[in-house]
Amino acid sequence: MRKEYIEKQKKAGRKVLAVLPIYYPKEILTAANIHAVELWGPPGPPKGPSAGRVQSYICAVARNAVSFFADGHAEMADGILFPHTCDSIQGMATMLPDFGGWDKKTFNFIHPRGDRRKSLEVFLEAELRKLAADCAEWSGAKLTNADLMEAIRLHREIDAIRAELLDKRSRLSMNDAELYGLLRRGEWLWPEDHLNELKEARQKITSETVQKAAPLMITGIVCEPMSIFKVLSDAGAYVAADDYAAIGRRVVKKDAPAKGDPFKVLAELYHGAPPCPTRYAHQPLRMEYLSNLAKSAGVRGIIIHEVKFCEPELFDIPAIKAAFAKLDIPLLYLETELEKEMPGQAVTRLEAFVEIINAKKESEGKS
Amino acid sequence: MITRRIQYEMAGRVVGPVLMNIQRMQKKLKGKKKPKDNPYGPPIEAVKKLKEIMTLYYLQGRYADGAVPVAWVTSGFPVEVLAPLGFFSIYPENHAALCGVSRVVVEMSDEAEKVGYSRDICSYARTDFGCMLTEKTPVGRLPKPDLLACCSNICQTVLFWYRSLAAHFNVPLVVVDTPFVYGEAPEHHLKYVKDQFEELITVAEKVSGKKMSEEKLHKITQEALTASNLWGECLAAGKAKPSPWTGFDGFFHMAPVVTLRGHKICTDYYRLLLDELNDRIAKGIGGIKDEKYRLLWDNLPIWFSVREMSDLLANNGFNFVAATYTDAWASAGRQIDPSDPIGSGARTYQHIILNQDLNNRLNLMKAMVEEYSVDGAVLHSDRSCKPYSMGQIDLRDRLAKEAGIKALVLEADHNDPRSYAREQAENRLTAFMESFG
Ligand code: SF4
Ligand code: SF4
């Protein structure tokens, strides 16, 4: 379905841009009539002759992507965008164009690091302007400020509904697999099509709590394998608070002005995203954010679901453990490697974790 | 504060040198050991001075906090900007390497792992977290920082690492963010780094309570440039046949240019070392006695195993005559212009090897193969250092094809012996050496 859909976009005259994780100014691509297709892996072991080009201690997101591109599985894409997320994507962004595997158009988007300061503001705006100019030149679109403001408006609408679905999770009559399937289709649908699906889903928000299972919080990079949701649901839990970098951490709950310099607006929105280590969030601020998210959703447990070898995430684990110990919220640490299905041992651990939190709730109820 | 300052000055000017003299005398009294039957040339005399300098540095560091402003900095940080304001700089990476050589990494890493740090993060970071949590260190004591100073030019790992330090110590963290250079750096990237240098001065002035002296900045930058150049000349001595030292020697002798560049003691040291290396070249003295093959090393050393690996190679007539790692502190530094410390410094610090694309690294390695008459290369695939290691499989293949040399990728870890299969690595190295016939 995804493949046919992308082909249709191409036929409609849009350039297809494969985008690596995590953050990138989608608005610019939309305004330049470029169809973004995100690539998180893809799941499964890396296959083909290029599978061995990246060492096994590099995360599966980067490892799999290298073999996917280098072995010609992305022929539908006309270009790649490498956001400068981490050392692994940085490495990939030089390996593929320099040493073979990608000879079509390449864009880089450099994330500024450090506290918000004058130099950073100037740089970010210049980087956004450069990306916009490069995209317009590539796609042949005449990119005006009005186009950009319209794309900003469209993505604000999308984010507002995504935020609503996540925030009102307990009242949304969809299961996790359905909800996450919908949210992840945003990774490859044209924004207007995604918005229509989101609007439909919004109808499923009710006035009563419909989720009766144990509310959990989940944090990590990406919800792969997606079967994690079925495992949780079968065990009697659901995700009430989301902090996946691929999902919740990309939802900017901020309004944008209808008029103004679109690059200044984009820069403001950039700073409005929830805290993420890959974008240099201060650790204490991030812990405060996570604690508040957990409290407001009334979660009974937190699952840290990491992609193995993801350094940006791993440095925050001790702080998360300490923050949730303080809240007396049980924690499960789980690592996966973009497998197609949840490994058996991980399933057992998830089931046991849900049992523990349910038992805790019961004993608290008795005392 | 005054007492602390006196202790600090005493440690640097009196106690340290006296202790050093006593140690020297004790060694003299013991007499010279008979040279063992080993594959190496006579030991490098400057090593004694190196040990003194580094011991003194860490000794003075014990008393630095409370006496002078203390900064913990990454190895690629522009310390030339901090030194004129009187900062004493501690390099957690260098300290972690020292822990590696002292073989305390497993103990320290265990402590870090106990609170939740994963074994999959850089072993330098783990080592230092362990030291930070236990306050244990082979150097006696590390001063607490007043400022954390992190430059992203070596990796992004340091950004995550220093965020954690900032949360622990609750002190200001200043970041000099150097956008990765793909091909040519666009104008707005260069401007960004330069602007940050200016901002850095403001932050450092605030933390130190001092005003930047242009004169001192020029002087220190000049001193750092001289040290980098001298270090470059020491490395270039390896072009001689036989090379007057081994690449493994180079890993240790780089400590002053990393930790003390900008200080006269560092410049003087490299003059001394260079004189000795030139003297060895004139006399035909090699780092190893019978140099048959010359190798290039890529990536960090395996600190805990330098000696064993060196022995294995030297016993078979193989010598590392060049390394991309030690070269980093020579080639980058050379571009600094003391008459424009900020502008040229910003450019220099952005353009270090780890912050540039793989084509640049391949070209550098090919040039080294040529200039150092290298026969083969060992690329240390370092589990802990992802930015340095990613792309090495391709680099190996390219190097073999384009430079016409044999190349080996060797799996290990720069600081954590638990991620190193010694026997397997030695077998691979042996097979590699045998392939030379
Ligand atoms: S999983 Fe982590 S390390 Fe891997 S690409 Fe994503 S952010 Fe980078
Ligand atoms: S990841 Fe590599 S470059 Fe970064 S601190 Fe560790 S060893 Fe140094």
Side-chain angles (χ1 to χ4, degrees):
Chain A
M1 177 197 172
R2 182 168 148 143
K3 204 169 163 198
E4 289 80 60
Y5 181 86
I6 298 167
E7 257 159 19
K8 249 167 80 186
Q9 296 297 317
K10 270 176 95 94
K11 280 197 187 118
R14 289 187 177 127
K15 291 244 189 204
V16 172
L17 186 67
V19 185
L20 272 299
I22 302 170
Y23 307 95
Y24 58 99
K26 289 184 182 181
E27 296 85 345
I28 290 179
L29 306 186
T30 307
N33 201 30
I34 293 171
H35 185 73
V37 178
E38 297 178 13
L39 194 87
W40 295 80
K47 290 186 282 267
S50 301
R53 276 177 72 183
V54 178
Q55 293 95 327
S56 57
Y57 53 79
I58 307 284
C59 77
V61 172
R63 220 179 330 132
N64 291 10
V66 167
S67 65
F68 184 78
F69 285 111
D71 292 333
H73 300 296
E75 71 281 0
M76 260 196 293
D78 303 299
I80 306 188
L81 169 62
F82 294 104
H84 205 253
T85 303
C86 60
D87 290 324
S88 304
I89 293 188
Q90 167 186 296
M92 199 194 317
T94 157
M95 264 182 87
L96 286 170
D98 293 348
F99 287 169
W102 191 252
D103 53 11
K104 296 188 206 167
K105 182 73 185 171
T106 299
F107 296 93
N108 292 296
F109 179 71
I110 307 274
H111 289 289
R113 315 288 184 185
D115 286 337
R116 203 169 167 178
R117 55 203 189 278
K118 184 83 181 72
S119 60
L120 185 148
E121 303 279 344
V122 173
F123 171 74
L124 177 59
E125 210 181 302
E127 192 68 5
L128 289 165
R129 283 184 197 279
K130 174 145 189 348
L131 182 68
D134 291 349
C135 283
E137 194 192 343
W138 184 60
S139 72
K142 245 181 130 279
L143 193 55
T144 64
N145 280 2
D147 295 332
L148 272 168
M149 289 308 283
E150 173 50 27
I152 290 170
R153 190 207 55 73
L154 174 64
H155 283 278
R156 287 303 73 234
E157 206 180 338
I158 289 173
D159 263 10
I161 305 182
R162 288 172 73 98
E164 202 181 342
L165 296 177
L166 289 169
D167 289 350
K168 296 179 179 164
R169 181 69 193 100
S170 62
R171 293 194 277 126
L172 178 68
S173 55
M174 284 172 95
N175 63 33
D176 281 342
E178 288 165 342
L179 174 63
Y180 279 88
L182 163 73
L183 295 175
R184 294 206 64 194
R185 279 198 295 283
E187 292 166 13
W188 54 273
L189 283 178
W190 182 253
E192 272 146 354
D193 292 343
H194 183 46
L195 179 62
N196 289 336
E197 285 196 355
L198 290 170
K199 280 179 178 165
E200 234 175 80
R202 190 168 48 180
Q203 308 296 321
K204 295 183 183 161
I205 297 175
T206 60
S207 52
E208 301 284 314
T209 299
V210 286
Q211 301 296 339
K212 306 286 184 214
L216 292 178
M217 176 161 167
I218 201 153
T219 180
I221 286 285
V222 63
C223 34
E224 291 286 1
M226 286 283 276
S227 52
I228 186 170
F229 300 117
K230 178 158 186 329
V231 176
L232 287 176
S233 159
D234 289 350
Y238 81 104
V239 180
D242 176 284
D243 185 55
Y244 272 124
I247 308 282
R249 268 185 242 167
R250 294 202 290 182
V251 175
V252 181
K253 292 180 188 171
K254 210 170 175 173
D255 290 332
K259 284 188 187 145
D261 179 342
F263 295 102
K264 294 211 184 307
V265 176
L266 283 173
E268 253 337 292
L269 291 171
Y270 182 93
H271 294 299
C276 177
T278 70
R279 296 201 307 163
Y280 186 80
H282 271 280
Q283 223 174 50
L285 288 180
R286 180 165 185 236
M287 294 316 124
E288 195 186 321
Y289 169 84
L290 293 179
S291 302
N292 289 340
L293 188 63
K295 281 191 251 174
S296 66
V299 303
R300 284 193 235 148
I302 175 169
I303 298 171
I304 306 179
H305 175 203
E306 297 299 2
V307 175
K308 190 161 171 64
F309 301 116
C310 176
E311 274 209 338
E313 292 278 299
L314 292 178
F315 276 86
D316 274 7
I317 305 302
I320 299 179
K321 284 189 170 169
F324 280 78
K326 222 166 152 189
L327 295 174
D328 192 28
I329 295 179
L331 179 148
L332 174 73
Y333 181 78
L334 192 71
E335 273 182 351
T336 50
E337 290 204 77
L338 248 55
E339 296 89 348
K340 281 216 158 123
E341 287 299 327
M342 212 60 190
Q345 208 190 9
V347 172
T348 312
R349 292 186 62 214
L350 284 165
E351 288 168 347
F353 182 64
V354 176
E355 251 175 57
I356 289 167
I357 57 166
N358 282 335
K360 183 170 182 273
K361 166 90 177 161
E362 237 173 69
S363 76
E364 280 166 359
K366 278 182 199 153
S367 58
Chain B
M1 171 86 184
I2 294 175
T3 332
R4 196 72 185 155
R5 181 76 199 216
I6 294 170
Q7 284 176 324
Y8 171 75
E9 295 295 346
M10 289 281 284
R13 291 170 204 263
V14 186
V15 184
V18 169
L19 278 176
M20 295 295 108
N21 277 333
I22 294 172
Q23 273 182 9
R24 234 177 283 159
M25 272 166 54
Q26 281 173 337
K27 274 194 185 155
K28 266 192 191 156
L29 286 174
K30 270 192 200 163
K32 275 199 174 170
K33 273 192 221 150
K34 265 195 179 168
K36 274 189 255 155
D37 183 23
N38 65 36
Y40 301 102
I44 291 179
E45 288 294 315
V47 153
K48 290 173 199 145
K49 189 75 195 163
L50 173 72
K51 282 187 187 156
E52 281 179 27
I53 292 174
M54 294 315 292
T55 310
L56 201 60
Y57 162 72
Y58 278 113
L59 180 68
Q60 198 170 24
R62 287 189 204 184
Y63 305 99
D65 43 348
V68 289
V70 174
W72 281 24
V73 299
T74 56
S75 60
F77 195 85
V79 275
E80 292 82 354
V81 179
L82 299 180
L85 295 164
F87 276 92
F88 184 91
S89 296
I90 281 286
Y91 293 74
E93 294 151 71
N94 176 269
H95 172 254
L98 207 144
C99 292
V101 177
S102 315
R103 297 176 187 244
V104 296
V105 167
V106 175
E107 185 193 341
M108 290 303 125
S109 186
D110 276 345
E111 293 297 331
E113 286 165 41
K114 267 187 213 160
V115 301
Y117 287 108
S118 161
R119 211 184 266 193
D120 291 332
I121 64 171
C122 169
S123 47
Y124 270 173
R126 265 182 286 137
T127 307
D128 272 315
F129 286 141
C131 294
M132 175 183 89
L133 294 166
T134 58
E135 301 201 348
K136 282 189 196 163
T137 156
V139 300
R141 179 180 180 271
L142 283 181
K144 296 230 164 16
D146 300 298
L147 176 71
L148 295 161
C150 169
C151 184
S152 62
N153 55 359
I154 49 167
C155 61
Q156 294 181 65
T157 298
V158 288
L159 290 165
F160 315 129
W161 176 357
Y162 276 61
R163 275 170 74 243
S164 302
L165 291 179
H168 179 85
F169 287 112
N170 198 17
V171 294
L173 162 57
V174 64
V175 170
V176 172
D177 180 25
T178 50
F180 192 80
V181 183
Y182 298 100
E184 283 294 310
E187 205 44 54
H188 71 281
H189 288 198
L190 295 168
K191 177 178 161 25
Y192 177 40
V193 184
K194 187 166 176 250
D195 288 351
Q196 292 176 84
F197 268 57
E198 311 273 3
E199 288 168 343
L200 164 64
I201 293 177
T202 314
V203 177
E205 281 181 338
K206 205 167 150 203
V207 173
S208 67
K210 287 188 185 155
K211 265 300 309 138
M212 175 63 85
S213 146
E214 292 293 321
E215 198 191 324
K216 273 192 190 164
L217 178 63
H218 282 273
K219 214 171 142 229
I220 285 171
T221 311
Q222 177 62 61
E223 200 73 41
L225 171 69
T226 311
S228 287
N229 284 338
L230 286 165
W231 174 237
E233 285 183 59
C234 291
L235 293 177
K239 292 176 188 172
K241 281 187 175 177
S243 165
W245 61 342
T246 74
F248 292 114
D249 293 323
F251 291 143
F252 294 105
H253 288 272
M254 68 187 268
V257 77
V258 176
T259 53
L260 288 159
R261 65 183 181 278
H263 296 270
K264 195 170 169 299
I265 194 170
C266 171
T267 326
D268 289 346
Y269 175 68
Y270 287 115
R271 280 204 186 94
L272 179 85
L273 177 64
L274 183 60
D275 284 348
E276 186 180 348
L277 291 173
N278 283 336
D279 187 52
R280 286 169 73 105
I281 293 174
K283 292 179 180 148
I285 300 172
I288 66 170
K289 283 177 193 154
D290 183 18
E291 182 184 285
K292 291 195 193 97
Y293 297 103
R294 298 160 64 83
L295 299 177
L296 166 68
W297 179 270
D298 184 52
N299 214 327
L300 279 84
I302 305 168
W303 288 114
F304 52 88
S305 185
V306 168
R307 188 71 207 187
E308 290 92 333
M309 195 171 283
S310 177
D311 287 351
L312 176 68
L313 290 157
N315 277 320
N316 289 283
F318 284 77
N319 188 13
F320 276 108
V321 294
T324 54
Y325 183 59
T326 42
D327 181 75
W329 276 267
S331 52
R334 277 197 284 269
Q335 295 160 25
I336 290 191
D337 173 5
S339 67
D340 177 20
I342 301 297
S344 68
R347 218 194 136 74
T348 301
Y349 278 95
Q350 189 181 3
H351 282 79
I352 73 154
I353 177 176
L354 270 175
N355 205 45
Q356 293 194 66
D357 58 42
L358 284 167
N359 265 335
N360 177 75
R361 173 123 146 250
L362 176 64
N363 289 335
L364 172 79
M365 289 172 87
K366 280 177 10 191
M368 287 176 118
V369 167
E370 193 72 25
E371 288 168 21
Y372 287 79
S373 317
V374 161
D375 306 297
V378 175
L379 296 91
H380 166 204
S381 168
D382 183 349
R383 191 180 188 276
S384 262
C385 186
K386 293 165 180 63
Y388 216 149
S389 304
M390 204 164 160
Q392 278 182 320
I393 317 276
D394 289 349
L395 273 171
R396 174 199 60 196
D397 297 346
R398 291 280 178 133
L399 209 55
K401 198 167 146 210
E402 295 172 27
I405 57 163
K406 294 179 198 293
L408 172 79
V409 169
L410 190 74
E411 297 284 341
D413 187 290
H414 64 265
N415 232 27
D416 192 340
R418 294 169 302 183
S419 303
Y420 177 57
R422 185 182 308 273
E423 210 173 310
Q424 203 181 325
E426 288 181 357
N427 286 342
R428 278 179 62 73
L429 265 181
T430 306
F432 179 63
M433 290 188 287
E434 281 167 4
S435 73
F436 284 78

